[in-house]
Amino acid sequence: MSEKTPLLHYRLTSRSTSPETKNVHDHSKAKAGIGRLWAKEKGDRKLGVMVGVVVPTLLSMFSVVVFLRIGFVVGQAGVYQSIVMFLVAYLIITMTVLSVCAISTNGALDAGGAYYMISRALGPEFGGSIGIMFFFANVCGSALYILGLVEAIMSTFGIPEEGTAVVAGLQVLPSGYWWSLLYGTALLFICFIVCLVGAHIYAKATFVIVIIFVVVLTTIFINFIIVGPIVVMLPGNSGLNGTSTRTANYTGFRRHTFEGNLLPNYTVDYTTGAMMSFAKVFAVMFNGCTGIMAGSNMSGDLKNPSYAIPRGTLAAVLTTFITYNVLSLLVAGSCERILLQKDYNFLGDINIWPPLVTIGIYSSTISAAMSNLIGASRILYALSKDNLFGGFLALVRKTSLSGNPWFSVLVSWLLVQVVLFAGQLNTIASIVTIFFLLVYAAVNLACLALELASAPNFRPSFRCFTWHTCTLGILGSLVMMFLINAIYAFGSIAFMLLLLMLIHYLGPISNWGYISQALIFHQVRKYLLMLDVRKDHVKFWRPQLLLMVANPRSCTGLMTFINDLKKSGLYVLGHVKLGLLDGLPSDPLQSRYDSWLSLVDHLNIKAFVNLTLADSVRHGVQNLLFITGFGGMRPNTLVLGFYDDCIPEDDLQGKMLLSTGTGFDAVTPSIDRGEQRSPFFPDVRGAYDLKDLGEEEYVSLIADAVKMGKNVTLARNFNQFNREVLVSGKKIHSHRRMTGPFFDVWPLNLLQPDSRAYVDICSLFLLQLACVLQETRAWKHARLRLFLCVEAGCSLKKEEEKKLRSMLKELRISARVQMVVWDQVVELHWQRRGGKVRGNLAESALNVEMKERREEVEKEDVFQIFPNNAAQMTDEYICAVNNLIRRHGAPKPAVRFLYLPRPPADTSLYCTYLHQVDMLSRDLGPTLLIQGVTPVVTTDL
């Protein structure tokens, strides 16, 4: 290695080795079982607070730190900074413990520990990625402890290399890579057998180990009282040269010794040759404070996880904190600094029976290895139960008759065995610790998200936490990650994000609930309340569209087109089902929403779905116009398909849902074969099937919307609209330096040729919608063509065109203005009314200044009185207008925008009105007939 640090190079030797970087250990709750399965699962949980949580957490947090790191920390940092380090470290882990306690007391907890908490709070993507990292961290951590234990044994009992002194009667074990691998395999096999039998045997083994540990720790405390001054021989590799003294003093409690250890004295670490600093010592010390997840990893084996985890974990954290600080004070008051800096195994040298400390090191290390192994197996088992990786982990779900996941234990054991072949694990020791810290940060993030979401069901019985504690836990864990190794920290976060994306795109959909949805709801509700309709302004207007759909099978083209037209505004798909709730057992619409949302996903459109039940289509549309949306997000434009006799086509026939692989033509079996139908949408209307509404009711929909102050758009012939062909076609044109598809706009009310309507509210609304469509990404190469109808020989023809172009410039709209001579067409209208053709019609229509007219329109009341009489139009005139539009449609436009007159006030003329609109728009291809009632453009900044 180019640079050694104590974090990477420490070894668990009986004499001259410092601690290694590791510690900490460690689902899915099976769907609520019933009957015997539930009773069996409950019967498999056997561990209580002490054996199941306190003991494994104590051993994981202590491990070898209490024997090998205390002297290192106090010798380098001094008493003052050591206490500060412990306070900061325990502040960080206590914040995480509070989050663990909160989540674990918010509901039933199953196997998987931290993974289960994170996945059920943050969703499968986040939980699965963290779970994989936590699993590998436990696997590598177990291997680290096994190899450390092997090195500790070899330092005492191994036959040394040539030229090294031999201690008679002790050093009897052959040494070498393969021998060390054999010893490690044997120790790992012992751990495997204990974990394979079951959690209850593991708990009993750790209970025996904790008794040994307590005995050893008790003798250490007693030694500081009864053992007098001792001269200690320093190890041969302590870094002292041959001329310097190789001894140090254990003085017993002395004031001058304590005062000499108060301040920091950072020096070179004799095991690595690296110069120590506050950050390096703190990083080494912090690894001894981890291990808080060892108890929660056993969540699937606890009798009552929600009761045991918070109490056991808090008790273990408090015990270790007191022990570390008291032991630091005892060491500082009785050992010279050189002893602390040059002999990390001094506690064995001053013990009344030195081998006792060695036994404590061995027992705590083997316990830590078992804790990591069983924690890894439980995490792997939880991942397999959640089926996040399909059948890849199917075999891991196998359990014994007692419920022990023996196959996951076997897989974990094999992976640890593979890691043992590395022999030296210094290079991954930091990554293991960083993985654990990333898990702690994720637990805090999960608790913070639950708290911020303010979900009513998040009410943990443990209330000693706030969002402040969660935030401190996140920041503290991230800071420690980068303090230990910034490169590994960045790499681990990148690895987590990669796993997250893989699970997001390849994993199955879960039904755990997504915290992101709760957070989005919380924020959307807050901002909807801030969206004040009283502050609406025309310059921030955007289309908010309600598209009424009778049967989605026949109008997918229109649905995708309106998605382009919305311009980041509200887009709602509305549907009316005829019927009444009277006599029905339940709402028949609730089961339909999944089908509609699946169609939205299939078409890749950004739309909401709103369904209603009504006795008529008219009443249903009224209901939707009244209730759709919230606050300032309400539809301002109603879009209807056109009422004609065209036979609808099934656009979904043969189409498949990519998410489920189900076809839209799938049939749901029924007792009555005649009632079999698609689970998505009914078949399209046949040639002889009756429509759900008549002509008068259809025109009433238009009149009702205008009365409510809604703009109305009628979409016709969109069964001929092929978006893919048009969009791809513009790319071909662009290579040939040609213009893209066209949008034709006819701003004049062609059914009232004597009106002055070039710049009224409706004509400007037409122009705005066409411009909005042109600005979308798919249609950015499209061109607008604006058709201005004039009479031949008009003296103001040039001036009219100039003023119209000036208006377009003020409105920042790019369009090609084309003058259309329509003398012969308008003559038919005046002959029908008994008058003569007035050659100055166009001149009188546009003689008024454009700007003055726009100001007049803005002051005009939106809710105008409907015309009292139907337009006196002949079929001959309307056919002539239709022919005029078609003649000026070369090249063929993608969509035409026409002025839609308001329905007449006399309802008896509704059928005539619809007939005239039908003739006007017949055979024009995809056409939008638009009636605008609200101002939508402005020239103000």
Side-chain angles (χ1 to χ4, degrees):
M1 294 183 299
S2 59
E3 180 181 357
K4 295 181 180 179
T5 67
L7 185 62
L8 297 177
H9 193 68
Y10 286 160
R11 285 291 180 273
L12 303 179
T13 63
S14 62
R15 183 95 188 142
S16 62
T17 312
S18 69
E20 205 146 18
T21 59
K22 45 228 184 261
N23 289 353
V24 300
H25 320 287
D26 263 49
H27 131 64
S28 97
K29 180 180 180 198
K31 311 255 193 258
I34 58 175
R36 290 177 301 174
L37 292 177
W38 176 250
K40 180 181 182 298
E41 183 177 337
K42 295 295 290 183
D44 293 337
R45 300 170 180 259
K46 303 174 181 179
L47 305 182
V49 179
M50 180 59 68
V51 178
V53 181
V54 176
V55 169
T57 306
L58 278 177
L59 290 176
S60 296
M61 296 188 70
F62 277 138
S63 62
V64 296
V65 178
V66 73
F67 304 111
L68 297 179
R69 290 190 185 179
I70 289 297
F72 166 77
V73 173
V74 176
Q76 296 285 347
V79 175
Y80 292 149
Q81 290 193 6
S82 296
I83 294 176
V84 171
M85 287 181 183
F86 280 115
L87 288 173
V88 173
Y90 270 83
L91 175 65
I92 294 174
I93 66 171
T94 301
M95 299 301 102
T96 303
V97 170
L98 295 180
S99 297
V100 169
C101 295
I103 298 176
S104 63
T105 59
N106 189 52
L109 195 63
D110 204 345
Y115 159 70
Y116 188 87
M117 300 178 193
I118 296 169
S119 62
R120 293 315 186 269
L122 299 181
E125 297 92 348
F126 212 101
S129 58
I130 289 293
I132 289 292
M133 298 178 69
F134 201 22
F135 167 71
F136 283 118
N138 277 275
V139 167
C140 294
S142 181
L144 281 169
Y145 281 116
I146 292 294
L147 286 176
L149 180 56
V150 169
E151 292 186 9
I153 293 173
M154 293 302 295
S155 66
T156 304
F157 301 103
I159 298 175
E161 299 176 356
E162 294 183 3
T164 307
V166 178
V167 180
L170 289 179
Q171 297 174 321
V172 295
L173 296 178
S175 60
Y177 169 78
W178 293 106
W179 285 105
S180 296
L181 181 61
L182 177 62
Y183 304 146
T185 301
L187 292 171
L188 178 61
F189 188 74
I190 295 173
C191 298
F192 168 66
I193 293 299
V194 172
C195 297
L196 187 64
V197 174
H200 61 289
I201 299 298
Y202 162 76
K204 292 178 181 179
T206 55
F207 189 74
V208 173
I209 293 174
V210 81
I211 292 177
I212 298 174
F213 186 87
V214 170
V215 170
V216 175
L217 193 60
T218 302
T219 61
I220 291 175
F221 280 104
I222 294 175
N223 285 332
F224 284 110
I225 300 174
I226 65 174
V227 175
I230 298 176
V231 177
V232 180
M233 293 295 297
L234 298 178
N237 63 340
S238 59
L240 299 174
N241 55 43
T243 59
S244 301
T245 177
R246 300 182 64 84
T247 62
N249 295 320
Y250 168 77
T251 64
F253 287 112
R254 294 291 185 271
R255 178 177 179 181
H256 70 274
T257 304
F258 185 75
E259 291 176 347
N261 288 322
L262 288 177
L263 300 177
N265 182 20
Y266 296 105
T267 185
V268 176
D269 171 49
Y270 74 90
T271 63
T272 64
M275 185 64 187
M276 293 295 98
S277 63
F278 180 89
K280 291 181 179 180
V281 174
F282 182 64
V284 173
M285 183 275 303
F286 184 80
N287 293 293
C289 301
T290 57
I292 56 176
M293 292 294 181
S296 62
N297 283 348
M298 304 298 297
S299 58
D301 301 292
L302 299 174
K303 292 180 182 178
N304 188 350
S306 298
Y307 177 86
I309 290 177
R311 288 165 176 79
T313 307
L314 287 173
V317 169
L318 182 61
T319 301
T320 56
F321 176 73
I322 295 174
T323 302
Y324 279 139
N325 281 278
V326 172
L327 195 57
S328 298
L329 294 175
L330 293 176
V331 167
S334 58
C335 301
E336 290 183 346
R337 187 179 290 269
I338 191 173
L339 176 62
L340 302 178
Q341 293 179 339
K342 301 302 180 180
D343 187 0
Y344 297 147
N345 196 46
F346 71 96
L347 290 177
D349 298 330
I350 65 175
N351 199 281
I352 53 177
W353 189 45
L356 198 60
V357 175
T358 303
I359 294 174
I361 293 175
Y362 293 173
S363 60
S364 61
T365 306
I366 197 73
S367 171
M370 282 194 299
S371 178
N372 277 267
L373 179 60
I374 198 169
S377 67
R378 295 314 189 258
I379 296 169
L380 184 62
Y381 176 62
L383 285 167
S384 67
K385 285 174 63 178
D386 285 341
N387 198 30
L388 294 182
F389 300 93
F392 184 71
L393 298 177
L395 290 177
V396 184
R397 302 186 196 125
K398 293 182 178 295
T399 60
S400 64
L401 294 177
S402 61
N404 184 41
W406 64 270
F407 203 93
S408 63
V409 175
L410 177 63
V411 172
S412 302
W413 169 65
L414 291 175
L415 289 176
V416 175
Q417 183 64 57
V418 170
V419 178
L420 284 182
F421 280 96
Q424 302 292 332
L425 293 181
N426 291 329
T427 54
I428 66 170
S430 295
I431 290 185
V432 172
T433 303
I434 287 172
F435 275 15
F436 284 138
L437 287 170
L438 193 59
V439 172
Y440 299 164
V443 170
N444 284 291
L445 178 62
C447 188
L448 176 64
L450 290 170
E451 177 70 8
L452 294 181
S454 301
N457 283 323
F458 182 63
R459 43 179 183 271
S461 55
F462 182 87
R463 297 302 305 171
C464 298
F465 77 98
T466 65
W467 69 268
H468 304 86
T469 62
C470 301
T471 305
L472 284 175
I474 296 172
L475 295 177
S477 299
L478 294 177
V479 168
M480 280 307 308
M481 286 172 55
F482 287 93
L483 186 64
I484 292 173
N485 193 308
I487 296 177
Y488 288 169
F490 277 117
S492 62
I493 294 175
F495 180 57
M496 181 199 69
L497 294 177
L498 176 62
L499 289 173
L500 188 148
M501 289 188 293
L502 288 176
I503 298 175
H504 175 75
Y505 289 108
L506 303 179
I509 298 176
S510 72
N511 60 350
W512 306 335
Y514 291 81
I515 190 63
S516 58
Q517 296 298 305
L519 291 172
I520 291 172
F521 177 89
H522 185 269
Q523 293 301 109
V524 168
R525 182 193 63 85
K526 180 174 71 174
Y527 286 114
L528 275 176
L529 291 173
M530 297 171 61
L531 191 61
D532 192 345
V533 294
R534 296 169 295 182
K535 298 179 181 179
D536 282 347
H537 194 278
V538 63
K539 65 183 178 182
F540 299 119
W541 179 91
R542 67 182 69 235
Q544 304 196 81
L545 308 168
L546 171 61
L547 171 63
M548 296 305 304
V549 180
N551 190 337
R553 289 184 173 275
S554 59
C555 59
T556 56
L558 177 60
M559 293 165 69
T560 54
F561 173 78
I562 298 300
N563 185 65
D564 291 335
L565 192 62
K566 68 181 186 302
K567 184 59 177 177
S568 301
L570 180 67
Y571 180 21
V572 181
L573 300 177
H575 174 74
V576 179
K577 178 175 175 57
L578 296 180
L580 294 174
L581 274 178
D582 298 341
L584 294 177
S586 62
D587 182 4
L589 298 178
Q590 294 304 315
S591 59
R592 303 282 184 95
Y593 275 95
D594 286 345
S595 301
W596 283 82
L597 294 176
S598 297
L599 178 64
V600 168
D601 295 337
H602 174 75
L603 297 177
N604 194 27
I605 60 178
K606 298 178 181 179
F608 298 95
V609 175
N610 206 349
L611 312 180
T612 188
L613 188 68
D615 58 348
S616 67
V617 175
R618 182 182 183 185
H619 290 161
V621 174
Q622 288 177 352
N623 293 339
L624 291 177
L625 287 174
F626 277 126
I627 67 174
T628 299
F630 293 96
M633 290 193 68
R634 291 183 177 276
N636 55 30
T637 303
L638 174 66
V639 183
L640 301 172
F642 197 79
Y643 192 97
D644 54 25
D645 296 325
C646 293
I647 305 301
E649 300 176 0
D650 192 345
D651 301 329
L652 297 179
Q653 186 174 6
K655 299 295 179 63
M656 300 289 291
L657 271 174
L658 296 179
S659 59
T660 62
T662 305
F664 283 100
D665 301 321
V667 175
T668 301
S670 175
I671 298 177
D672 184 358
R673 296 185 59 185
E675 294 182 358
Q676 291 185 351
R677 58 169 52 192
S678 167
F680 294 97
F681 309 104
D683 294 334
V684 295
R685 176 175 54 85
Y688 301 103
D689 294 334
L690 296 177
K691 298 180 180 179
D692 291 334
L693 75 166
E695 294 182 352
E696 292 187 359
E697 186 178 5
Y698 177 80
V699 179
S700 297
L701 299 180
I702 303 173
D704 292 342
V706 175
K707 291 177 182 177
M708 296 180 188
K710 310 294 184 183
N711 309 296
V712 179
T713 299
L714 306 183
R716 185 172 191 181
N717 296 327
F718 272 84
N719 58 326
Q720 306 172 18
F721 181 78
N722 193 322
R723 184 178 184 274
E724 288 73 17
V725 172
L726 291 170
V727 172
S728 61
K730 56 93 177 173
K731 295 180 180 178
I732 297 174
H733 289 316
S734 62
H735 287 300
R736 299 175 182 173
R737 298 184 179 275
M738 296 177 63
T739 56
F742 289 100
F743 298 142
D744 287 0
V745 182
W746 295 77
L748 179 66
N749 185 353
L750 298 173
L751 295 185
Q752 290 183 350
D754 53 345
S755 64
R756 297 162 61 183
Y758 274 112
V759 286
D760 67 359
I761 289 177
C762 185
S763 60
L764 292 176
F765 185 81
L766 256 73
L767 203 56
Q768 177 77 325
L769 282 189
C771 183
V772 165
L773 184 61
Q774 183 194 25
E775 290 177 354
T776 59
R777 183 179 302 176
W779 301 100
K780 62 182 179 180
H781 293 286
R783 297 291 182 267
L784 295 187
R785 294 189 299 195
L786 183 61
F787 293 91
L788 181 62
C789 296
V790 297
E791 296 184 19
C794 177
S795 59
L796 296 179
K797 179 178 179 181
K798 295 289 185 181
E799 185 178 350
E800 294 158 7
E801 183 178 359
K802 181 179 179 181
K803 290 181 179 180
L804 185 59
R805 291 185 184 277
S806 176
M807 181 193 72
L808 294 175
K809 184 177 181 180
E810 290 181 18
L811 296 176
R812 291 87 61 201
I813 296 176
S814 176
R816 181 200 302 178
V817 179
Q818 292 188 212
M819 312 301 288
V820 177
V821 178
W822 69 328
D823 298 61
Q824 296 179 351
V825 175
V826 77
E827 180 179 359
L828 297 174
H829 168 65
W830 288 110
Q831 288 177 350
R832 175 68 178 84
R833 300 190 61 174
K836 62 179 181 178
V837 180
R838 295 182 294 180
N840 60 348
L841 173 63
E843 180 178 352
S844 62
L846 286 172
N847 195 29
V848 183
E849 291 292 334
M850 292 291 184
K851 185 175 180 180
E852 294 178 358
R853 178 57 183 157
R854 288 197 303 273
E855 293 176 355
E856 178 183 342
V857 169
E858 291 177 359
K859 297 178 182 179
E860 185 179 357
D861 186 3
V862 172
F863 305 101
Q864 302 179 35
I865 301 176
F866 285 91
N868 289 323
N869 58 317
Q872 301 298 317
M873 296 292 151
T874 63
D875 291 351
E876 184 182 9
Y877 165 76
I878 299 175
C879 288
V881 173
N882 178 269
N883 290 328
L884 177 71
I885 296 174
R886 282 190 288 165
R887 286 200 310 270
H888 290 81
K892 185 178 179 180
V895 181
R896 287 184 171 92
F897 293 78
L898 302 184
Y899 192 116
L900 175 68
R902 293 180 180 229
D906 187 353
T907 57
S908 63
L909 298 177
Y910 278 2
C911 292
T912 303
Y913 168 82
L914 184 59
H915 172 71
Q916 293 175 353
V917 175
D918 173 49
M919 294 185 62
L920 175 67
S921 57
R922 187 174 297 170
D923 299 327
L924 293 183
T927 303
L928 293 180
L929 297 112
I930 300 171
Q931 171 58 227
V933 298
T934 56
V936 294
V937 295
T938 180
T939 58
D940 296 336
L941 182 62

